[in-house]
Amino acid sequence: MLTEEQVAFYNEHGWLRIPQIFTGEEFRELDADTESLIQAWTQEVMGWTGPWRKVYMDADTEARSKLVVLFEFQLFSAAWTRAVAKPALAEAISQLLDTPNVELQQSTLHAKPPSTGQPFPVHQDYPFYPHTNDRFVDVLVHLDNTSDVNGEIRFLDGSHKLGPLQHVTSNPDGTPCTPHLPTDEWKLEDTVAVPAKAGDVVVMNINTIHGSYLNRSDAIRRMVRLGYRDPTNHQLSGQNMDRTGMMVLGRRPKEDGDSMFRALYPEQYRKAKADKEKTEDIKNEVDVVAG
Ligand SMILES: O=C(O)CCC(=O)C(=O)O
């Protein structure tokens, strides 16, 4: 359980480090599974795109900069299934979201390869998976110790209070790029460094502005982001839209007009509803024409 001071710190600053949530054999299993999943399923990719790359990196670094990504860890490893539903973690999230019900929305590995691991431009997570309100917490599970050398997470303190901000979403030539905040207005230098130990988690509000520097060390820096929400906080678009998440605490409340079909298969539900409305529109038109 978090203390009142920890919850108040999160509400004030928009982030919180919770030490040693994963320890001992549990941590060793996560560490080993992550390593084996990276070997089996991932490849190094160029990573996030956009004009920020030329501001954050010189030409040579930019050309070499890489990222390793894997989504939905709990679908690849039983140790991760247990980890995402760990009761102590779920209880802590429930306190931060101020809800008895907690739903997992996604999980994403961001691993920065040695020497070239991509920096992250300052951004909010909101544009990647917008929701109707900010009862959404991102949990960064640290698999390695982090510091200035390997690119620890950094926050613009208290920035969650600004609410969702307009992000840059296209390159100068009009092609789409990864959402990030304009580099002339929002600077990584203004952020607070939050170094952490392997096994710690660092949590943040969906609207907290954050980023990180390049990994300059000779070892990989691995972090798994777990997104949790109050199940009545509905997603509007983006990553994992229309995927029903696993409940890790409490129960899914039934809302007005809800049904089991809608809760289990939101995409099919929306399509079926749109088809029905279309059919009804056609029928209405026919009725009008037929007089
Ligand atoms: O892995 C990092 O350093 C930053 C991750 C991040 O920006 C995110 O998960 O949204």
Side-chain angles (χ1 to χ4, degrees), residues 19-34:
Q20 298 302 285
I21 286 280
F22 298 105
T23 55
E25 188 49 34
E26 186 182 23
F27 178 81
R28 278 191 288 281
E29 241 191 315
L30 294 177
D31 185 32
D33 276 19
T34 304

Side-chain angles (χ1 to χ4, degrees), residues 112 117-119 148 150-152 154 188-189 211-215:
K112 297 183 183 213
Q118 182 215 280
D148 172 55
N150 66 359
E152 81 270 268
R154 305 177 66 99
L188 202 44
E189 301 91 270
S212 60
Y213 286 111
L214 188 84
N215 179 8

Side-chain angles (χ1 to χ4, degrees), residues 112-145:
K112 297 183 183 213
S115 326
T116 60
Q118 182 215 280
F120 281 84
V122 285
H123 64 280
Q124 297 171 315
D125 281 347
Y126 178 88
F128 293 84
Y129 29 88
H131 278 68
T132 46
N133 61 57
D134 76 342
R135 290 173 93 187
F136 190 113
V137 167
D138 273 315
V139 174
L140 302 175
V141 180
H142 283 61
L143 292 156
D144 300 295
N145 296 340

Side-chain angles (χ1 to χ4, degrees), residues 160-219:
H160 61 305
K161 293 178 188 165
L162 298 170
L165 298 170
Q166 188 67 43
H167 282 57
V168 176
T169 52
S170 55
N171 291 301
D173 66 3
T175 54
C177 73
T178 314
H180 59 284
L181 287 165
T183 48
D184 51 348
E185 282 176 61
W186 304 94
K187 311 253 180 239
L188 202 44
E189 301 91 270
D190 296 333
T191 55
V192 180
V194 183
K197 296 263 177 268
D200 290 355
V201 304
V202 178
V203 306
M204 63 176 154
N205 181 285
I206 190 170
N207 291 325
T208 304
I209 296 173
H210 59 285
S212 60
Y213 286 111
L214 188 84
N215 179 8
R216 292 179 281 114
S217 77
D218 55 10

Side-chain angles (χ1 to χ4, degrees), residues 238-249:
Q239 181 179 347
N240 277 8
M241 177 66 187
D242 280 333
R243 274 213 198 164
T244 307
M246 177 167 89
M247 293 301 295
V248 296
L249 195 73

Side-chain angles (χ1 to χ4, degrees), residues 205-269:
N205 181 285
I206 190 170
N207 291 325
T208 304
I209 296 173
H210 59 285
S212 60
Y213 286 111
L214 188 84
N215 179 8
R216 292 179 281 114
S217 77
D218 55 10
I220 191 167
R221 194 233 62 183
R222 301 158 305 157
M223 217 183 250
V224 175
R225 185 186 66 217
L226 310 174
Y228 295 97
R229 66 186 165 206
D230 177 295
T232 63
N233 181 13
H234 296 290
Q235 186 164 352
L236 304 171
S237 61
Q239 181 179 347
N240 277 8
M241 177 66 187
D242 280 333
R243 274 213 198 164
T244 307
M246 177 167 89
M247 293 301 295
V248 296
L249 195 73
R251 300 188 182 91
R252 183 180 301 285
K254 188 169 181 199
E255 297 175 74
D256 278 353
D258 233 347
S259 66
M260 186 180 68
F261 177 57
R262 182 181 182 176
L264 288 176
Y265 309 109
E267 189 174 4
Q268 287 94 322
Y269 174 84

